[in-house]
Amino acid sequence: MTQTLKVVGFICDWSVDLAPLSDGGRLREVPGVRVIRVPCSGFVRPNWLEDALNRGADGVFVTGCPYGDCLNREGNFLMRDRIDQLRRRLQRRKVDPARIGMLAFGLHDGASFLAEVKAFVDRIAALPPAPPARAAGRAAVTQPAQASEGERP
Amino acid sequence: MRSIYVVGIVVLSGLSLLFAVGIIYGEATDQWFLGGGFVGALLIAYSFIVLLLRQVGLIGPRKTER
Amino acid sequence: MSTVATGQASGRYARLMTSLLRGTLRLDVLVNKLYPTDFNPLYYTGGLSNLFLFTLVLSGIFLFFYYDASLGESFASVQYLTDRVPYGGIVRGVHRYAADGFIVGILLHLLRNWFTDRHLFARDNPWISGMFLLLFAGFIGFTGYQLVWDERAQLLTSMFVAMLRSIPAAGAALTRLFIGGVGISDGTLVRILFLHIGPATALYVFLWWHYVRQRHPKIWPPGVWVLFCVGLVFLLAGAVPVTRETIPAATPAASPTRFPMDVFFLIPFWLLNFLPAGVVVLLLVALFVGGLAIPYASRRETPVEMGVRHSGVAQVIDGNCTGCELCYYDCPYNAIVMVPSPGPGLSKAAANRSLLAVVIESRCVECGICIGACPFEALELPKFLERDVLRQVGEAVQA
């Protein structure tokens, strides 16, 4: 069951040591989980989590350092608050809050991290299946083409 | 596990009562070092009670740092 | 860090620092098994030092009202305070042991932030101010031992004068400044009292400097540790009274040669057993200057050398910024300031803005927290763009 799930994890460079755990962007023990390394858990924009869910991921989670020990002082606290807001926002659209997770583990906490990820995936597996992937259109701010590339004349 | 914590809280509460009696004894007999030392022991007992209450889950983390 | 740095780190210092970092974080895992993360004392070493400083200030104010700064009276006034004033001895002990706790807290804070690389690059401001805090704390502790004016204080003063004299050119003048004239007099004790209280006040100025680049500094430990530390200080003051070491009062005739040691403040004076005064002064200066140089002189100067991700300083995309101040509130280093907008933005949401976010490059640590804070796509890390992330998300979902 867990094999068919697609879970995207954003993992802070400074939290769990992924070298022994992952293989080409996947967790070895939980192959359904794809990991994306980010410089700090606070770097993740909640829009991206929403986007991943819209594009057909069954769940998303963010992993930061233990609370109180963020390398950048408060990235994980901020991310936890943003994820709480995102859950409330998505709940109104009938997305189960269990599909979004916030984890916090240090460099040497690989074992507890894996256990927590497995529990997270199992919780999602027990949910009714998610609606099929919607178009990847993003309800973001309208902007002129190429505005964010800095190539305007 | 929870019952161990509860037993710990009860034991520490008893101890802190003893320390409080010690403070009063030190004050009554003008042994100030004894009384002051018991103040410290009482505060340390309180700190462990707070820790156990947190482990049991009766008091949560501070709101900003949940 | 975790995967990249260990592979590339070369050089003995870099390898040592990496193993120290791993050791520190391993210790955290152990402590977190005992205490929940919000109670972990190692996450609050700075707050613990601040708690001890607060205890010192309160007990010091109490002691100040009983202290008499003159050669004949100071030892007697301390004796009176200890023996006759209710709980005076306890407060004196609290002042003494809280000072020890203060130094221990500062050193833990220093080592932890050193080993976990929180002093590098844009984050040198707390490190430099912290070195000054450490210097002042050590000096205040030393003058505190002099204030009692027992034989130890007398010997300490003569040793310190010897250290001052050994400074070339300025030595004699500094000595005259310190003892207030040619010989030790009542004026000397007044000066020492000021040199105890004045720098202690200055500590708060340095603390302002320490905090100035930080949003929401954690300046107070959790309640459980407030109770524990204050309790420990009181318990020690009661169980190991300061009167345990009986040192006779200083007299001009006495020429003491030994005194009970204190490992927290008097180590330089212990070194005088083996080294000439000039060498000790040189050693202290070298320690201080070396401490100031640590963030700059270490081999791991650049993120590339350290092997950490180098994302580049966050850039504001002018056309998208709406001036909503969200990044300004979330930046942990006060690196983002809001300036009056020179003109409207390009996107619809930014059309009516009155403010514009600007990143101060020298303060940015490239963590990307502002990118997560911005709902308008107005911030980017130049070497890890939003479209890179979205491409990775796409690949992850397709695969």
Side-chain angles (χ1 to χ4, degrees), chain C residues 11-335:
Chain C
R12 200 172 290 160
Y13 177 78
R15 275 202 304 276
L16 176 70
M17 291 312 286
T18 305
S19 59
L20 284 173
L21 165 68
R22 292 189 157 255
T24 313
L25 294 180
R26 248 181 241 285
L27 183 66
D28 281 358
V29 173
L30 289 183
V31 177
N32 279 337
K33 287 202 169 72
L34 270 178
Y35 291 92
T37 50
D38 55 323
F39 279 5
N40 186 336
L42 295 175
Y43 295 169
Y44 290 92
T45 46
L48 286 174
S49 313
N50 195 30
L51 166 73
F52 281 123
L53 180 57
F54 190 65
T55 316
L56 283 170
V57 169
L58 288 192
S59 55
I61 289 173
F62 178 91
L63 299 177
F64 173 77
F65 288 117
Y66 289 93
Y67 185 71
D68 195 348
S70 67
L71 282 184
E73 289 303 310
S74 54
F75 187 79
S77 68
V78 173
Q79 283 296 89
Y80 173 79
L81 166 84
T82 313
D83 297 336
R84 311 296 296 280
V85 177
Y87 298 100
I90 286 287
V91 177
R92 199 181 148 200
V94 163
H95 200 68
R96 161 87 175 268
Y97 293 117
D100 296 348
F102 185 45
I103 286 291
V104 172
I106 288 184
L107 288 180
L108 276 178
H109 189 56
L110 179 144
L111 292 179
R112 183 180 172 80
N113 287 297
W114 186 6
F115 295 163
T116 53
D117 292 340
R118 284 162 208 209
H119 62 298
L120 292 176
F121 316 135
R123 300 177 70 170
D124 53 356
N125 186 56
W127 180 269
I128 299 296
S129 51
M131 291 311 293
F132 280 97
L133 281 165
L134 179 61
L135 176 77
F136 272 58
F139 182 72
I140 295 165
F142 153 69
T143 49
Y145 275 104
Q146 285 185 303
L147 281 178
V148 188
W149 207 244
D150 48 13
E151 285 188 354
R152 167 161 63 187
Q154 200 180 6
L155 187 54
L156 281 179
T157 308
S158 59
M159 288 162 109
F160 187 68
V161 165
M163 280 164 72
L164 282 181
R165 284 235 172 84
S166 71
I167 300 173
L174 280 178
T175 310
R176 228 176 303 120
L177 274 182
F178 179 69
I179 60 178
V182 271
I184 288 170
S185 62
D186 286 353
T188 312
L189 273 176
V190 174
R191 268 157 204 256
I192 291 173
L193 180 62
F194 178 78
L195 286 176
H196 190 66
I197 296 173
T201 317
L203 281 187
Y204 278 94
V205 180
F206 284 117
L207 275 181
W208 169 80
W209 180 14
H210 204 55
Y211 299 148
V212 71
R213 290 278 174 83
Q214 315 212 337
R215 194 135 203 123
H216 317 134
K218 285 191 287 188
I219 61 175
W220 201 250
V224 57
W225 286 101
V226 176
L227 286 172
F228 184 84
C229 291
V230 176
L232 187 66
V233 162
F234 268 85
L235 185 62
L236 279 174
V240 194
V242 282
T243 48
R244 183 182 43 110
E245 310 161 339
T246 43
I247 310 174
T251 47
S255 54
T257 50
R258 51 192 301 112
F259 58 80
M261 253 300 283
D262 175 278
V263 287
F264 298 103
F265 291 104
L266 300 184
I267 282 184
F269 299 95
W270 174 72
L271 284 180
L272 283 174
N273 280 335
F274 321 105
L275 301 170
V279 178
V280 175
V281 173
L282 208 65
L283 199 67
L284 290 177
V285 172
L287 264 183
F288 182 65
V289 174
L292 291 181
I294 281 177
Y296 314 108
S298 62
R299 241 208 94 258
R300 298 158 75 177
E301 271 246 52
T302 62
V304 179
E305 273 187 3
M306 269 178 68
V308 302
R309 184 199 296 275
H310 180 41
S311 330
V313 170
Q315 304 288 327
V316 178
I317 295 156
D318 190 330
N320 284 357
C321 179
T322 62
C324 67
E325 299 189 338
L326 283 177
C327 53
Y328 166 71
Y329 287 125
D330 278 359
C331 178
Y333 304 102
N334 288 338

Side-chain angles (χ1 to χ4, degrees), chain A residues 77 80-81 84, chain B residues 63-66:
Chain A
F77 290 125
R80 190 176 54 186
D81 292 354
D84 283 352
Chain B
K63 190 172 172 252
T64 47
E65 288 163 13
R66 179 182 44 133

Side-chain angles (χ1 to χ4, degrees), chain B residues 2-53:
Chain B
R2 204 183 155 91
S3 60
I4 296 176
Y5 290 144
V6 172
V7 170
I9 292 174
V10 170
V11 169
L12 282 171
S13 309
L15 265 182
S16 54
L17 197 64
L18 265 183
F19 294 148
V21 171
I23 296 173
I24 296 170
Y25 172 77
E27 169 65 24
T29 55
D30 274 0
Q31 290 167 292
W32 293 322
F33 281 108
L34 192 69
F38 272 122
V39 170
L42 182 69
L43 290 177
I44 290 181
Y46 279 175
S47 87
F48 284 109
I49 291 177
V50 170
L51 173 64
L52 291 182
L53 286 175

